[in-house]
Amino acid sequence: MRMIRLERIYPALAQVQPSLADLQPAIAPVSVPSGVMLFEENAPCLGFPLVLEGEIKVSRSSSDGRSLELYRVVPGELCLVSSACLFRTQPLSAHGVTTRPSKLLLIPPDLFNRWLETPAFRNEVLGLFAERMADLTGLIDAVAFQRLDQRLAAVLLGRGTHLALTHQALADELGTVREIVSRLLRRFEREDWVELAREHIHIRNSAALRAVAAGLPA
């Protein structure tokens, strides 16, 4: 991948020293299939991932095996969990999995710390903290103060009318168990808001779901 394309995705890289051009071929993009665990909770951070293609889903697991999605990283964005780990030299607090075939650059910890001396890159990373903290605050509000049926209705919206989703995938995204999601979906089906099939959900009444998501009578 040419450096000019990298700098288009991550403009701050144009100013870091040593540059990626100086570091090739020691640091080069790697292709990763969908569904690969890139980093795990409580493991040391082996580097700072830059997403060039694809997507990483970052989640946190509970002791009973449930998982709550925190955010996703796409090209041009940075991973909050990885940067926090490198700042504090502590184990990772979440895990990251590719959701589609991806191409990544893994920046070694010592190089990441050197790049932080470049104001443009440091500002990029600190700006990430501000954006991700706003996202996580919204997630905390949803988990703590919204009913699960509101959150489920919100997750179903904005994906079109035909969703290729399993109940387990929805449970993972909401940080709950499959049985509760299945119960709520059956209730939505009885109200004629959705139609359920194997690993498929058809939205029949998006207006009603929007009302539920907003906490209003459907």
Side-chain angles (χ1 to χ4, degrees), residues 6-14 50-52 74-78:
L6 283 171
E7 293 171 4
R8 190 179 303 124
I9 299 173
Y10 293 98
L13 294 183
L50 296 177
V51 182
L52 311 179
V74 297
E77 296 182 351
L78 304 176

Side-chain angles (χ1 to χ4, degrees), residues 18-184:
S19 69
L20 282 172
D22 296 333
L23 295 166
Q24 287 189 323
I27 297 179
V30 294
S31 296
V32 183
S34 177
V36 171
M37 181 80 73
L38 295 176
F39 52 86
E40 301 186 55
E41 290 176 55
N42 301 316
C45 186
L46 300 179
F48 188 75
L50 296 177
V51 182
L52 311 179
E53 296 176 9
E55 180 182 71
I56 302 174
K57 179 173 72 173
V58 180
S59 308
R60 184 169 171 82
S61 298
S62 65
S63 58
D64 60 4
R66 288 184 294 163
S67 180
L68 177 63
E69 179 180 325
L70 302 178
Y71 58 86
R72 299 196 179 201
V73 186
V74 297
E77 296 182 351
L78 304 176
C79 179
L80 174 62
V81 166
S82 298
S83 54
C85 176
L86 292 172
F87 277 143
R88 300 161 58 202
T89 62
Q90 292 186 357
L92 291 156
S93 59
H95 61 270
V97 179
T98 53
T99 61
R100 64 188 72 165
S102 302
K103 185 171 288 187
L104 314 166
L105 270 178
L106 188 65
I107 307 303
D110 59 339
L111 180 59
F112 174 79
N113 289 325
R114 291 180 66 184
W115 280 2
L116 285 176
E117 298 173 4
T118 302
F121 185 75
R122 184 174 61 249
N123 291 340
E124 185 88 4
V125 174
L126 293 177
L128 153 82
F129 272 87
E131 293 176 9
R132 289 303 189 199
M133 282 303 297
D135 293 342
L136 293 179
T137 299
L139 176 62
I140 291 168
D141 286 345
V143 172
F145 304 121
Q146 280 190 316
R147 293 181 352 206
L148 192 58
D149 59 347
Q150 288 179 259
R151 294 170 56 210
L152 176 59
V155 165
L156 294 175
L157 293 167
R159 305 187 185 205
T161 57
H162 296 276
L163 286 66
L165 281 173
T166 66
H167 295 192
Q168 185 62 58
L170 286 168
D172 290 344
E173 189 165 344
L174 293 168
T176 186
V177 294
R178 180 182 55 80
E179 291 76 10
I180 294 177
V181 168
S182 296
R183 191 179 308 133
L184 287 172

